[in-house]
Amino acid sequence: MRLTVLLLCILSGCFAQFINYDGSKLYQLIPENEEHLEFLDFIQNSERYDFWSETRSLNIPAVVMVKGAALENFWEALTSRGIKFKLLMNNVQRSIDNEKIRQKSSKPVGEGQISFTQYHRYDEIVSYLQRLAVDYPEKVVLEEFGTSYEGRPLYVIKIGSGPSSNPAVLIDGGIHAREWISPAVTLYTIKQLVENESNADMIANVNWVIVVVLNPDGYEYTHTTNRLWRKTRRPGVQCIGVDMNRNFDFHWMGPGTSANECSETFAGPYAFSEPEAQSFAKLAQSMDNIFLYLGVHSYGQWLLYPWGFTTDLPENADELQEVGERVAAAIKSINGTVYVTGTSPNLTYYVSGTTKDWAMGVAGARLSYTIELPGGGNAGFDLPAEKIMSVCEETWPGIIEFYNYIVENTKRM
Ligand SMILES: *[C@@H]1O[C@H](CO)[C@@H](O)[C@H](O)[C@H]1NC(C)=O
Ligand SMILES: *[C@@H]1O[C@H](CO)[C@@H](O)[C@H](O)[C@H]1NC(C)=O
Ligand SMILES: *[C@@H]1O[C@H](CO)[C@@H](O)[C@H](O)[C@H]1NC(C)=O
Ligand SMILES: [Zn+2]
């Protein structure tokens, strides 16, 4: 009896509190011709590979994590096709361990406070939002707009001091659990809008509707158990979780998604299978004047606009390109960080059922983007905590530029 329990325990990994990535390596691949791109397309949605940064452009690198068992096949495939590759991390686990040590040594912030020198847990984030709602009732409303699969309340903060007829900006962070810099930048945006008086015009002229962590179950799981978790946490038959950014009901299960439960880009058993995606869609559809939708991700330094499922362009593609370039220039002016603007199929890869396509195609957003923030550490999701502030500070002028465009293009009564 004891032995059986012990064996089950070993098999299910109940002794290993953290999922271990010993033996997994991280590579940079540089596609130099169409055949190389086709190969990347081919392995993109395979469960053996985990793309940390994607590319569909010649000579722009992709970054992929390969598990120990798949390494030999991987090397063979690359060598036989003459694809250039570079080892970025010899042992992914080591960089996870280093980050864990840094996180442990960070000082706790007070109740309702936030800092940009450490990554926060979900309850710390929520307690900050709750404090804002109490301290600034004239411009902040905090609402529960749903519940995650594991029962965590989903919160949206609505910031505005003007009429409800003002144009609206809808932002979400943390849809992909491991992209920790995303909630951090989203929080910084909130802090600037609410707590910095110099930005009063920004909330008088535009209503901001912001979800800091759309996938709290996954986010918490990356803090407690598996740093590299991306998906939601709803169990399937064989594997857990859905890529929520493939789960939206617009060209669902189109190109750039996987029907394999165990893949990192599994689109779900059906569209809106995930309660968090469903709740977010309801929230968006309760708004009738979304000027801008912005999904905050990492990493890659891209500003991507619709469509993701086809190389066809939306009617206002010129506008999307122009605004994207303005935002990229504003970010670059701070510290030289370069963002490239375009559509996913052109720059990275086909993606279907994403928030940005859905926001434009269904929810009627005039502008819609995914921003892929910079990576960090050893070119991973482990952007060192001491760099959070500088990413926030350089991204903020990009948000201001979006705002400027909205104001320039809003008719005054
Ligand atoms: C407040 O906002 C202004 C304008 O965006 C900015 O220049 C300033 O640095 C901000 N102050 C703080 C403390 O972040
Ligand atoms: C994307 O690629 C398609 C097909 O090559 C092209 O027609 C389109 O103009 C490109 N769009 C952008 C934004 O670069
Ligand atoms: C600019 O980059 C340097 C070098 O990475 C960094 O030390 C600095 O904090 C950055 N400044 C801003 C405002 O992002
Ligand atoms: Zn992402």
Side-chain angles (χ1 to χ4, degrees):
M1 177 64 192
R2 293 250 309 267
L3 197 66
T4 322
V5 173
L6 191 70
L7 202 71
L8 277 175
C9 244
I10 292 170
L11 290 174
S12 63
C14 75
F15 289 134
Q17 223 206 331
F18 269 88
I19 304 292
N20 195 288
Y21 284 89
D22 267 328
S24 291
K25 296 182 194 291
L26 190 70
Y27 287 94
Q28 183 187 70
L29 314 182
I30 304 183
E32 293 177 324
N33 58 41
E34 276 303 316
E35 193 206 343
H36 294 172
L37 287 176
E38 272 164 31
F39 174 71
L40 288 183
D41 278 8
F42 179 68
I43 65 171
Q44 190 81 40
N45 298 300
S46 151
E47 64 182 276
R48 308 175 65 171
Y49 303 106
D50 181 1
F51 277 79
W52 289 16
S53 178
E54 298 168 1
T55 187
R56 219 187 174 279
S57 309
L58 293 177
N59 302 315
I60 294 190
V63 176
V64 59
M65 183 180 78
V66 187
K67 295 193 182 124
L71 278 168
E72 211 149 315
N73 276 333
F74 177 71
W75 290 327
E76 253 174 48
L78 294 186
T79 314
S80 69
R81 287 172 179 79
I83 301 178
K84 288 205 183 111
F85 61 98
K86 187 170 119 190
L87 182 67
L88 294 181
M89 270 186 226
N90 191 36
N91 184 351
V92 171
Q93 186 57 38
R94 202 171 314 139
S95 105
I96 295 174
D97 291 343
N98 288 340
E99 184 183 61
K100 213 181 302 165
I101 293 164
R102 281 198 300 261
Q103 274 293 103
K104 277 211 183 100
S105 64
S106 58
K107 291 199 194 78
V109 288
E111 179 76 16
Q113 302 300 314
I114 210 83
S115 96
F116 297 93
T117 52
Q118 61 182 277
Y119 294 104
H120 291 287
R121 297 291 292 268
Y122 189 57
D123 59 356
E124 295 171 310
I125 293 172
V126 169
S127 113
Y128 173 68
L129 300 178
Q130 284 168 336
R131 182 183 63 81
L132 290 185
V134 170
D135 287 358
Y136 304 95
E138 70 290 355
K139 53 187 178 187
V140 171
V141 175
L142 186 67
E143 283 172 11
E144 229 180 284
F145 69 97
T147 308
S148 73
Y149 171 75
E150 290 178 352
R152 293 184 177 85
L154 303 171
Y155 289 102
V156 56
I157 186 167
K158 298 181 174 175
I159 306 165
S161 60
S164 60
S165 56
N166 270 351
V169 173
L170 174 64
I171 300 178
D172 69 76
I175 195 172
H176 287 145
R178 63 195 180 186
E179 298 166 6
W180 284 4
I181 187 62
S182 157
V185 164
T186 310
L187 276 173
Y188 186 84
T189 303
I190 292 169
K191 189 178 172 70
Q192 286 297 330
L193 291 172
V194 176
E195 300 201 279
N196 184 344
E197 268 305 316
S198 335
N199 302 318
D201 283 355
M202 292 180 75
I203 63 174
N205 297 321
V206 166
N207 291 321
W208 303 77
V209 176
I210 305 179
V211 178
V212 180
V213 184
L214 186 49
N215 176 12
D217 297 350
Y219 185 70
E220 280 297 292
Y221 193 68
T222 60
H223 281 271
T224 59
T225 314
N226 182 349
R227 175 65 184 88
L228 296 179
W229 192 259
R230 167 182 166 98
K231 300 191 283 182
T232 60
R233 291 294 302 160
R234 203 170 54 81
V237 180
Q238 283 179 50
C239 286
I240 294 178
V242 166
D243 182 346
M244 210 199 303
N245 202 29
R246 304 288 185 277
N247 193 231
F248 280 65
D249 193 7
F250 186 70
H251 295 268
W252 178 78
M253 204 55 100
T257 60
S258 174
N260 171 1
E261 259 187 10
C262 301
S263 160
E264 293 293 351
T265 51
F266 177 47
Y270 47 90
F272 286 142
S273 58
E274 303 311 283
E276 301 87 356
Q278 233 178 68
S279 301
F280 187 75
K282 262 192 215 129
L283 170 70
Q285 286 184 308
S286 73
M287 302 165 62
D288 49 17
N289 46 358
I290 306 176
F291 198 113
L292 167 70
Y293 164 79
L294 182 65
V296 183
H297 290 248
S298 76
Y299 60 88
Q301 293 166 221
W302 307 110
L303 272 159
L304 304 169
Y305 55 80
W307 306 113
F309 68 95
T310 171
T311 50
D312 292 351
L313 295 172
E315 264 170 40
N316 64 337
D318 290 346
E319 181 186 31
L320 288 159
Q321 181 70 31
E322 180 205 323
V323 177
E325 284 172 10
R326 273 177 62 167
V327 168
I331 296 175
K332 188 178 171 201
S333 73
I334 303 304
N335 219 359
T337 304
V338 174
Y339 277 77
V340 179
T341 303
T343 68
S344 301
N346 286 45
L347 297 178
T348 58
Y349 187 61
Y350 283 98
V351 284
S352 301
T354 62
T355 51
K356 76 167 181 309
D357 280 8
W358 182 88
M360 180 172 266
V362 179
R366 170 161 162 187
L367 303 178
S368 184
Y369 297 86
T370 293
I371 183 167
E372 294 281 356
L373 297 166
N378 296 301
F381 297 105
D382 58 334
L383 182 83
E386 60 270 21
K387 287 202 176 152
I388 298 173
M389 194 60 176
S390 91
V391 173
C392 290
E393 282 177 350
E394 71 177 17
T395 311
W396 172 242
I399 304 286
I400 295 177
E401 199 56 30
F402 274 128
Y403 164 79
N404 289 339
Y405 186 82
I406 294 170
V407 170
E408 286 162 25
N409 289 276
T410 306
K411 285 195 197 84
R412 301 269 132 217
M413 298 295 192

